[in-house]
Amino acid sequence: MSSGLTFKETLYPGVEVNYACDSVLYQDRSEHQDLVLFENPVFGKVLMLDGITQVTTADEFIYHEMMAHVPILAHGAAREVLIVGGGDCGMAEEALKHPGIARLTQVEIDDAVVEFSRTNFSEFNAPVFDDPRFDLVIADGARFVAETDRRFDVVMVDSTDPMGPGAVLFTQEFYRNVHRCLTPGGVLVTQNGVPFLQRAELVTSVRHFASIYKDAAAYVAAIPTYFGGHMAFGWASDNADLRKTPVDVLTERFDAAGFDTRYYTPEVHAAAFALPRFIRDAVDEGRKG
Ligand code: SAM
């Protein structure tokens, strides 16, 4: 039963998305951002940071499966994985389903998001906190990649949008430092917004990727709460073959990993790189520099 309250998402000038609120479960201001968790009749629990939807219990599986399994299964031998951001720990939960991963390091700037999500999103993130491979670092991800001596096979940037503390995770310097931290042939994937509404963000990220990595690309998935159609995931690697990993190879790796998914399939993985024309044009514009 709705309380009559609504929460308004104000990410895009000229468009507002209103969510009915059955009840407010938590509301606070951390050192870094405003945090609110409320119950919506369609999406279940909804987390907003600074007024922008981050995760919902109903559709988190789409975003998390597509950001975690696509790079890990394309790589095929990932042992060291880094998540930058990812405070709700849904990405870590998906990544840790891969038995070949020896260590999953997550660098999140805001410990309040992790602590809060541990309590409030246990329906999807509970296994993470019992997994000895989970290595949580509370720090700015940009600073971490600039300073660490460690190397990673896969880096996933599960960030907020390019404003506030997340802005630094969309810069050329950050992508260059990630490149330094990748093992040869490793891969970076990024949360790159909804191209219909945030085209410039995708063009700029791909432009930066192309100035550093041999292969700069994007893939897509449709996630209901990331309003506006397809969401783009940025893709950058020095190994251009990873993006073209055939479905039969992905199927073999996925079957060997031995877990179920609700959105990801090897066929969806391969198809996600087939971009609608307006998104392909944005990626091509970025590649041209
Ligand atoms: N799936 C979400 C989306 O795209 O809407 C992102 C979810 S996750 C909650 C984003 C996380 O990035 C937040 O927990 C936020 O604290 C973290 N974050 C933002 N800037 C960061 C930075 N510079 N370093 C590390 N984590 C950062």
Side-chain angles (χ1 to χ4, degrees):
M1 169 71 118
S2 174
S3 61
L5 257 182
T6 58
F7 279 94
K8 189 166 66 178
E9 185 176 46
T10 49
L11 176 58
Y12 318 107
V15 183
E16 286 175 359
V17 181
N18 280 294
Y19 289 89
C21 166
D22 287 347
S23 57
V24 177
L25 303 172
Y26 187 86
Q27 195 157 20
D28 199 9
R29 161 125 206 114
S30 81
E31 185 193 335
H32 300 280
Q33 50 215 341
D34 283 319
L35 200 151
V36 63
L37 181 76
F38 61 92
E39 188 80 36
N40 171 270
V42 177
F43 290 106
K45 289 184 212 166
V46 180
L47 171 66
M48 284 188 176
L49 295 178
D50 289 339
I52 296 170
T53 309
Q54 301 294 314
V55 69
T56 83
T57 45
D59 70 353
E60 58 81 25
F61 69 98
I62 307 176
Y63 175 78
H64 291 140
E65 287 182 12
M66 286 301 280
M67 191 184 247
H69 304 322
V70 170
I72 292 172
L73 290 167
H75 186 284
R79 287 185 57 74
E80 291 281 343
V81 172
L82 173 66
I83 295 173
V84 176
D88 54 71
C89 297
M91 199 62 73
E93 196 259 337
E94 290 300 331
L96 287 166
K97 288 179 180 170
H98 293 267
I101 288 177
R103 181 162 43 162
L104 186 276
T105 301
Q106 176 170 323
V107 182
E108 161 62 54
I109 201 167
D110 196 342
D111 60 347
V113 182
V114 179
E115 270 320 302
F116 155 88
S117 299
R118 183 180 189 145
T119 313
N120 291 286
F121 286 123
S122 58
E123 53 271 73
F124 65 77
N125 68 19
V128 169
F129 299 100
D130 292 329
D131 194 318
R133 298 172 296 163
F134 183 57
D135 166 32
L136 178 65
V137 179
I138 300 299
D140 178 356
R143 197 161 174 183
F144 178 87
V145 295
E147 293 175 355
T148 187
D149 292 332
R150 293 185 49 205
R151 296 294 176 264
F152 303 92
D153 304 306
V154 172
V155 175
M156 302 166 190
V157 185
D158 180 16
S159 66
T160 46
D161 285 290
M163 52 188 88
V168 71
L169 306 178
F170 291 79
T171 61
Q172 189 184 34
E173 186 185 355
F174 172 70
Y175 298 136
R176 186 172 293 114
N177 285 326
V178 171
H179 184 256
R180 191 186 62 80
C181 296
L182 282 174
T183 52
V187 58
L188 160 70
V189 293
T190 59
Q191 185 282 96
N192 252 118
V194 173
F196 185 80
L197 296 160
Q198 296 164 295
R199 184 179 190 276
E201 179 189 316
L202 179 61
V203 173
T204 306
S205 286
V206 173
R207 184 173 294 137
H208 292 329
F209 297 162
S211 72
I212 302 161
Y213 299 77
K214 293 196 176 106
D215 191 35
Y219 64 101
V220 292
I223 299 145
T225 36
Y226 303 147
F227 170 85
H230 297 88
M231 157 161 261
F233 297 91
W235 175 276
S237 177
D238 283 341
N239 180 356
D241 292 340
L242 286 190
R243 185 157 54 89
K244 298 167 196 139
T245 309
V247 171
D248 58 333
V249 174
L250 296 171
T251 303
E252 207 176 291
R253 291 174 183 169
F254 182 49
D255 290 349
F259 58 84
D260 286 333
T261 49
R262 293 169 65 201
Y263 186 92
Y264 179 93
T265 68
E267 291 79 9
V268 165
H269 174 146
F273 287 92
L275 301 179
R277 182 64 194 262
F278 77 99
I279 300 178
R280 197 181 82 192
D281 287 349
V283 169
D284 286 345
E285 188 179 321
R287 282 180 180 144
K288 280 188 201 129

